[in-house]
Amino acid sequence: MSSEESTSTMSQVALERFGAYQKARQLFDLVVTDIDTLKTNPLCYRLVSQQIGSADSICANIEEGYGRLSRIEYARFLDIARGSARETRGRYERMKHWLAPEIIRQRVELVDEIIAILTSSIGTLKIGRAHV
């Protein structure tokens, strides 16, 4: 294994250990499962598409930010991921007409955990930037 491959593998391992990323991937899988029964309801077509998109955006922005070389850019992408998490959370609350209250409660709780980790990480990155 070359030095470049080793660095890339280590970076991927570190990304996969990041708590917000682990939880975001878990959330995405749950979103796919939750909306499976809604995808045939014409009233839910747009909600289904948007919920998948916003949950995917959490993961995608963490991944893209993690690949950036600057703390400033990484913090910016984590902030975008946090915005997508808030969007996903809000949509879960609005989907109360189609999903069981317990599912909504559990998903909102998971999204709140993601938001808290992202908020803390963004703060740490910004504090680190102030000392550079």
Side-chain angles (χ1 to χ4, degrees):
M1 181 180 291
S2 73
S3 154
E4 187 175 303
E5 289 173 323
S6 177
T7 302
S8 174
T9 302
M10 289 185 331
S11 180
Q12 184 64 30
V13 168
L15 170 62
E16 290 173 2
R17 287 183 180 160
F18 180 42
Y21 184 65
Q22 292 173 349
K23 290 178 183 293
R25 289 182 61 166
Q26 176 188 6
L27 176 66
F28 180 82
D29 291 342
L30 291 169
V31 166
V32 171
T33 300
D34 292 343
I35 62 171
D36 190 55
T37 59
L38 304 180
K39 67 185 178 189
T40 57
N41 182 335
L43 294 174
C44 297
Y45 289 163
R46 187 171 172 159
L47 289 172
V48 165
S49 174
Q50 289 179 327
Q51 193 70 335
I52 289 175
S54 63
D56 179 58
S57 182
I58 301 166
C59 297
N61 280 291
I62 293 170
E63 291 161 349
E64 186 167 355
Y66 202 82
R68 299 298 173 131
L69 298 176
S70 118
R71 292 171 73 102
I72 295 168
E73 285 187 82
Y74 183 35
R76 184 170 62 89
F77 278 95
L78 291 184
D79 192 37
I80 294 167
R82 182 175 57 181
S84 294
R86 290 186 192 284
E87 178 184 348
T88 303
R89 183 190 195 286
R91 195 170 295 107
Y92 260 118
E93 290 177 335
R94 292 188 300 279
M95 293 174 91
K96 66 185 176 189
H97 304 286
W98 300 281
L99 296 175
E102 184 60 18
I103 288 176
I104 293 171
R105 186 196 63 73
Q106 290 173 358
R107 301 313 180 255
V108 166
E109 190 175 284
L110 178 58
V111 176
D112 285 345
E113 291 174 21
I114 295 167
I115 291 168
I117 295 168
L118 291 172
T119 300
S120 176
S121 298
I122 292 164
T124 299
L125 288 167
K126 288 183 177 181
I127 289 169
R129 185 179 72 198
H131 295 291
V132 174

